[in-house]
Amino acid sequence: VRGSSRVTIRDIHLSKCWGDGISIGGAMVTGKPTIPSQGVVIANVVSTGNRRQGLSIGRSSEIKVYDSEFSNNTGIAPGCGIDIEPDADDAGTTTTVHIENCLVRKNQGNGIQVYKRVSGVTIKSCTVEYNGGYGVLTISPVSGYIAQNKFQHNYLMGVMLRSTTKSFQVSGNTF
């Protein structure tokens, strides 16, 4: 999903993709600013066994992910269930991402990674387990809410807020 608005992806099973199961981000147009994606909904999706990530969220806003599974993604780093990270070659941002009631498990890297130039992330009522890194890792995002999740058996720890993460609330989780 590149440079698109008001898109819904629902009721599908994706597996064994060469890269990401699903990728949301901006569309680069020669000589013009990158066009971000906006208003994308992912609902009742299983994305499993992909070679990179189950879901990558790049330059975009108003992304909602509900009632889905992101599992068993291995091969190419970072190997997360969900990676929220604008592309390195794009100076844009990712804003307002809501992830709720998802199963994120058995990924090679972190269950969910929230990276630089990201703001307004909510991770709520998810089960995040058996990942090879952290359950949730944040590196320099601004403003977020991690609440009412169940974290268990992640290799490093349940939640790690690192390096200049600002304005995050972590509450009501089970570890």
Side-chain angles (χ1 to χ4, degrees), residues 46-166:
V46 174
S47 182
T48 186
N50 301 297
R51 190 169 155 259
R52 189 165 177 254
Q53 257 99 242
L55 170 62
S56 288
I57 302 172
R59 186 172 185 181
S60 55
S61 65
E62 300 172 33
I63 308 302
K64 296 177 182 174
V65 183
Y66 295 105
D67 306 321
S68 295
E69 177 181 335
F70 303 94
S71 61
N72 299 300
N73 297 291
T74 64
I76 302 296
C80 300
I82 301 173
D83 183 19
I84 307 168
E85 177 178 356
D87 293 330
D89 59 353
D90 179 0
T93 61
T94 302
T95 60
T96 316
V97 176
H98 186 96
I99 300 166
E100 187 169 348
N101 197 37
C102 291
L103 175 59
V104 184
R105 69 173 169 189
K106 296 184 180 177
N107 296 289
Q108 175 181 314
N110 303 305
I112 301 172
Q113 178 169 285
V114 185
Y115 206 66
K116 300 172 184 172
R117 297 181 288 122
V118 174
S119 65
V121 173
T122 298
I123 302 167
K124 184 177 177 188
S125 301
C126 295
T127 298
V128 184
E129 61 186 11
Y130 296 100
N131 294 290
Y134 298 97
V136 173
L137 171 64
T138 69
I139 303 172
S140 300
V142 176
S143 74
Y145 183 59
I146 301 170
Q148 301 170 4
N149 301 289
K150 179 180 178 182
F151 295 97
Q152 61 183 9
H153 305 290
N154 294 290
Y155 183 73
L156 295 174
M157 52 183 80
V159 175
M160 170 61 92
L161 307 178
R162 277 184 40 192
S163 178
T164 66
T165 296
K166 295 179 184 172

Side-chain angles (χ1 to χ4, degrees), residues 31-51:
K32 295 185 179 182
T34 300
I35 302 165
S37 288
Q38 183 176 9
V40 178
V41 176
I42 307 291
N44 197 32
V45 168
V46 174
S47 182
T48 186
N50 301 297
R51 190 169 155 259

